[in-house]
Amino acid sequence: AEEAVLQAHEAGWEPQPGLALLRLAQGDVEGAMGSIRDALDNPSHSPSWEVPPNTELSRAPRLAAQVEISIVAGDVEVARSAADELQGIAATFGSKALRASAATTRGAVQFADGEAPAAVTSFQEGVRLWNEMEAPYEAARARIGLAQAYQAIGNDERAPLELRAAQSAFERLGAKLDARRAAQLLGESSPARSR
């Protein structure tokens, strides 16, 4: 993954937020926080096929990454601020992908804040929107959050259903690390299975 990010950068593509998320996956939480903060504070002005110039759209994927990284780092305040900004961008531009990302990040912040019932609602919205867009990886990631929120409110029936659906999607997509995490969470969520 690191080689792919560096090759994309050499070819003229912006390496963020992929580089920051790669640092997080490598276990370098501090490096990931610094990397995503720098990407937001000093945005690249290189031309892009994906994002119209002079808009906040380029911040959206970086803000979603900042939410994820900040929660792992234990900085829920930064995560909340990033999720709020992303919510504003989604409201301004109104695309389904932005709304799905905003719902999922909102759910993550709510869950980190101990507001599991609200997180369930947000993650459900994220799963629904990602599924409508036929974005199976993103939907599966939202299902992981939904499952954890279900576990937190004691819904031992729905949590494993969401984890199985996520694991199945990850396996179909070849996302081995994500599939392994879903399997671990599934094992933790199912006392009957461990017996």
Side-chain angles (χ1 to χ4, degrees), residues 3-4 19 28 46 57 67 72 77 80 90 119 125 131 157 159 163 165 171 173:
E3 185 178 318
L19 186 59
D28 182 4
S46 56
L57 285 175
V67 170
V72 171
E77 199 56 45
R80 184 181 301 103
E125 180 185 0
N131 279 332
E157 185 174 356
L163 288 170
E171 287 172 352
L173 295 168

Side-chain angles (χ1 to χ4, degrees), residues 11-162:
W13 291 95
E14 171 58 38
Q16 295 293 359
L19 186 59
L21 291 170
L22 176 63
R23 296 293 174 243
L24 181 65
Q26 292 170 330
D28 182 4
V29 178
E30 187 176 317
M33 283 287 284
S35 183
I36 199 63
R37 189 179 317 108
D38 181 62
L40 285 161
D41 291 346
N42 304 297
S44 168
H45 296 291
S46 56
S48 170
W49 291 90
E50 301 166 317
V51 180
N54 305 315
T55 70
E56 295 177 313
L57 285 175
S58 64
R59 290 181 65 79
R62 294 174 185 156
L63 290 166
Q66 187 175 42
V67 170
E68 181 177 347
I69 294 165
S70 298
I71 287 173
V72 171
D75 196 338
V76 180
E77 199 56 45
V78 168
R80 184 181 301 103
S81 176
D84 288 346
E85 185 178 347
L86 180 56
Q87 186 75 40
I89 293 170
T92 299
F93 292 95
S95 83
K96 194 176 281 190
L98 287 172
R99 291 190 347 254
S101 182
T104 304
T105 58
R106 184 177 59 246
V109 170
Q110 290 166 331
F111 184 73
D113 271 339
E115 301 172 11
V120 165
T121 302
S122 295
F123 281 125
Q124 285 173 332
E125 180 185 0
V127 170
R128 178 183 58 78
L129 290 168
W130 287 125
N131 279 332
E132 287 176 8
M133 293 182 54
E134 298 181 12
Y137 180 77
E138 290 80 0
R141 289 199 47 162
R143 283 183 187 276
I144 294 289
L146 180 56
Q148 291 176 310
Y150 276 139
Q151 286 174 330
I153 64 171
N155 191 332
D156 296 331
E157 185 174 356
R158 291 296 303 262
L161 289 175
E162 297 300 337

